[in-house]
């Protein structure tokens, strides 16, 4: 068994707990002979900058699958699901004092400060029939279309790169990584991951954050899978 590419989440996966890039993880990603895709709930420019700094091909999944790009200057694929998110935001704004994060940069979803009760907000939204969901990435709460996720983003970028999703190993930590982990040929969750991410994975590392990625890559290489 071998895999042709790797897709990996950024925050809390290739970083330390305080979001500093884990340099050993970055060095391993840079040294791989297969393409590396960065996947994030953050915006496109953040993902592209991270790829540049690590020194890997700029192939990225941003905004939880809503934005996909191969190449630093290429025109990205951008989903058309933002309007439904705006409707959900206006509805929730009647109940909470919400603060948007990076509103001028986000094209497919709305990210919010984590200062309100997400479970109560989810119950409120469930009564309205919006085609959206609330996802907590530990850094922001995202209002995103329920037709968009990192698994769908992986399917899109795999096609652009001439691969199948099963050609990838996926590494992540959060609930927004679950579909990506399940879609890949082999899924890994780092030890600090959410329970749903861990239960969806084929392997859970003993180490957390970026050290978990180092452990995962060394394991894959020891098996001759990557």
């Amino acid at each position: 068994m071998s895999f042709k590419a790797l897709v990996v989440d950024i925050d809390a996966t290739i970083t330390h707990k305080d979001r500093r890039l884990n340099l050993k993880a970055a060095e391993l990603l840079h040294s791989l002979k297969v393409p590396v895709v960065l996947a994030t709930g953050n915006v496109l420019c953040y993902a592209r900058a991270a790829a540049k700094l690590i020194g890997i091909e700029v192939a990225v999944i941003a905004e939880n699958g809503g934005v996909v790009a191969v190449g630093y200057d290429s025109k990205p694929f951008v989903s058309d699901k933002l309007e439904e998110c705006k409707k959900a935001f206006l509805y929730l704004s009647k109940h909470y004092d919400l603060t948007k994060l990076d509103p001028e940069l986000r094209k497919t979803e709305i990210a919010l400060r984590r200062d309100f009760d997400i479970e109560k907000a989810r119950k409120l939204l469930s009564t309205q029939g919006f085609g959206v969901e609330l996802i907590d990435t530990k850094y922001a709460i995202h209002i995103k279309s329920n037709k968009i996720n990192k698994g769908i983003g992986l399917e899109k970028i795999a096609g652009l790169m001439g691969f199948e999703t099963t050609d990838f190993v996926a590494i992540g930590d959060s609930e927004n990584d679950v579909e990506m982990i399940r879609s890949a040929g082999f899924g890994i969750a780092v030890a600090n991951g959410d329970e749903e991410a861990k239960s969806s994975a084929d392997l859970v590392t003993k180490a957390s954050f970026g050290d978990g990625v180092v452990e995962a890559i060394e394991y894959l290489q020891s098996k001759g899978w990557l």
Side-chain angles (χ1 to χ4, degrees), residues 26-211:
E27 188 61 36
L28 271 178
L29 292 173
H30 175 73
S31 70
L32 291 178
K33 304 302 182 185
V34 300
V36 176
V37 175
L38 296 184
T40 181
N42 218 312
V43 295
L44 177 61
C45 59
Y46 174 87
R48 279 175 161 167
K52 277 285 191 181
L53 289 169
I54 294 169
I56 56 177
E57 178 183 358
V58 180
V60 297
I61 300 167
E63 295 191 28
N64 292 304
V67 180
V68 170
V70 177
Y72 192 78
D73 297 314
S74 64
K75 184 177 180 180
F77 166 81
V78 180
S79 78
D80 59 355
K81 305 300 183 183
L82 183 59
E83 288 306 313
E84 197 74 355
C85 298
K86 288 180 178 178
K87 293 176 185 177
F89 172 81
L90 289 174
Y91 174 75
L92 286 178
S93 295
K94 298 176 183 177
H95 302 272
Y96 300 100
D97 183 15
L98 302 175
T99 302
K100 290 183 180 180
L101 303 176
D102 309 313
E104 71 283 358
L105 296 175
R106 291 189 180 270
K107 308 299 182 186
T108 67
E109 63 168 30
I110 296 172
L112 305 170
R113 186 167 291 153
R114 298 173 71 245
D115 57 2
F116 63 97
D117 189 321
I118 186 173
E119 292 304 328
K120 289 183 179 179
R122 281 171 171 162
K123 288 179 181 178
L124 284 170
L125 282 181
S126 70
T127 67
Q128 299 304 303
F130 296 119
V132 303
E133 58 185 344
L134 295 182
I135 295 292
D136 186 357
T137 62
K138 303 185 186 75
Y139 299 99
I141 292 174
H142 302 251
I143 305 175
K144 59 177 282 295
S145 168
N146 55 22
K147 294 186 170 80
I148 293 174
N149 57 60
K150 286 187 184 179
I152 292 171
L154 178 58
E155 184 177 347
K156 179 68 176 180
I157 205 165
L160 292 172
M161 297 172 72
F163 296 137
E164 302 292 333
T165 59
T166 51
D167 291 327
F168 283 80
V169 173
I171 309 176
D173 76 293
S174 189
E175 63 178 300
N176 66 328
D177 296 315
V178 168
E179 292 88 357
M180 180 179 80
I181 288 170
R182 290 174 178 167
S183 297
F186 193 81
I188 301 174
V190 287
N192 56 287
D194 295 343
E195 287 308 312
E196 189 176 4
K198 290 179 181 179
S199 65
S200 300
D202 300 293
L203 173 71
V204 177
T205 64
K206 295 179 181 178
S208 297
F209 300 98
D211 290 338

